[in-house]
Amino acid sequence: MEADISFIGLFLQASLLVKFVMLTLMSLSVMSWAVIIQRRSLLNSAKKNALKFEDKFWSGVDLNKLYKEISARQDSNSGLETLFHTGFKEYARLSKLNDKVPGAVMDGSYRAMRVSLSREMEKLEQSLPLLATIGSTSPYIGLFGTVWGIMNSFIALGAVENATLAMVAPGIAEALIATAMGLFAAIPAVIGYNRFTTQVDSIEMSYANFMEEFSSILHRQAYSEKDEG
């Protein structure tokens, strides 16, 4: 009687524990791809929106007008728009409370933007630890299933007087599939994590640069208002 060496056949013939390992790896692979697709869309959108806002910001638009425009759709703001809105709002508020004290105004505005930056980065980095976990653990989960399957195959052979390769091949094949599935789940997760981490670092750098440049603009404006006063 020939053994079914197709993937479905080997899965059905596998022991309960190896089946559980395979199903776990399949679930991890699906989760990994879902995160990859979602993060890719989010990071590409964040980068595109940052470039779009920077073009508008440096076009010479009046900052008060830009602030009012962003405030009108505050619920949908993200990225640089949020940093600008937070910083300018705090600047305007502190300017009224700390008249003629530019240092206090600038410190408060900068701290508000730092908090906003941390929150924005937290959104971008969300789910990346999951990719790292899947990438680092999946091969070991698959290896565990392989070791268990091969161990069961040799235990079964021990009870047979005349063992042949045909008898041991299906058991070893089903065990090795667990390792292959572990690598199948891990490789995209590792690649996605490394790529997205690089993109997040790049976006964070652009956010930080904008924050410094915007702070310089507010700094000049604060001291010019003091001199005028």
Side-chain angles (χ1 to χ4, degrees):
M1 183 174 180
E2 294 183 359
D4 185 359
I5 59 173
S6 66
F7 176 81
I8 300 298
L10 292 174
F11 174 80
L12 295 176
Q13 295 171 26
S15 64
L16 185 61
L17 181 60
V18 176
K19 286 180 180 177
F20 176 75
V21 168
M22 291 181 180
L23 290 175
T24 299
L25 291 171
M26 289 176 62
S27 300
L28 291 176
S29 180
V30 171
M31 291 171 58
S32 173
W33 279 106
V35 170
I36 288 172
I37 294 171
Q38 193 268 342
R39 287 294 99 182
R40 182 176 182 272
S41 175
L42 178 68
L43 293 177
N44 287 342
S45 178
K47 187 175 181 179
K48 180 180 178 181
N49 290 338
L51 293 174
K52 182 179 179 181
F53 179 79
E54 281 192 316
D55 289 341
K56 188 172 185 178
F57 180 84
W58 295 113
S59 66
V61 64
D62 181 74
L63 296 185
N64 290 287
K65 180 179 179 182
L66 182 60
Y67 173 75
K68 292 178 181 179
E69 178 183 331
I70 294 176
S71 298
R73 47 182 175 81
Q74 186 174 349
D75 293 338
S76 61
N77 294 337
S78 62
L80 292 186
E81 288 185 343
T82 300
L83 289 180
F84 169 80
H85 183 271
T86 301
F88 197 86
K89 180 180 180 180
E90 191 68 7
Y91 173 83
R93 186 181 72 84
L94 293 176
S95 293
K96 297 177 181 178
L97 299 176
N98 297 279
D99 190 26
K100 306 296 192 315
V101 188
V105 174
M106 290 308 306
D107 287 344
S109 300
Y110 193 81
R111 284 197 298 269
M113 285 191 288
R114 289 295 304 177
V115 173
S116 183
L117 175 63
S118 297
R119 290 174 178 170
E120 289 302 309
M121 297 316 301
E122 185 177 353
K123 294 177 184 177
L124 296 180
E125 293 171 351
Q126 187 178 3
S127 299
L128 292 186
L130 177 60
L131 282 183
T133 301
I134 293 175
S136 61
T137 60
S138 293
Y140 295 104
I141 296 174
L143 183 61
F144 171 74
T146 296
V147 171
W148 185 269
I150 291 177
M151 182 182 69
N152 284 339
S153 296
F154 280 107
I155 290 175
L157 283 176
V160 179
E161 294 183 359
N162 298 319
T164 64
L165 182 61
M167 296 176 62
V168 71
I172 294 178
E174 75 184 33
L176 291 175
I177 283 180
T179 297
M181 292 182 66
L183 295 175
F184 180 79
I187 291 174
V190 171
I191 294 175
Y193 175 79
N194 291 335
R195 177 176 176 81
F196 295 148
T197 299
T198 301
Q199 288 183 320
V200 168
D201 290 341
S202 176
I203 293 173
E204 182 178 13
M205 182 64 69
S206 68
Y207 284 6
N209 289 339
F210 172 82
M211 189 175 70
E212 295 294 336
E213 292 168 340
F214 184 44
S215 294
S216 297
I217 294 174
L218 294 180
H219 183 274
R220 290 194 297 270
Q221 183 169 325
Y223 278 91
S224 66
E225 290 175 354
K226 176 185 176 182
D227 294 339
E228 291 174 0

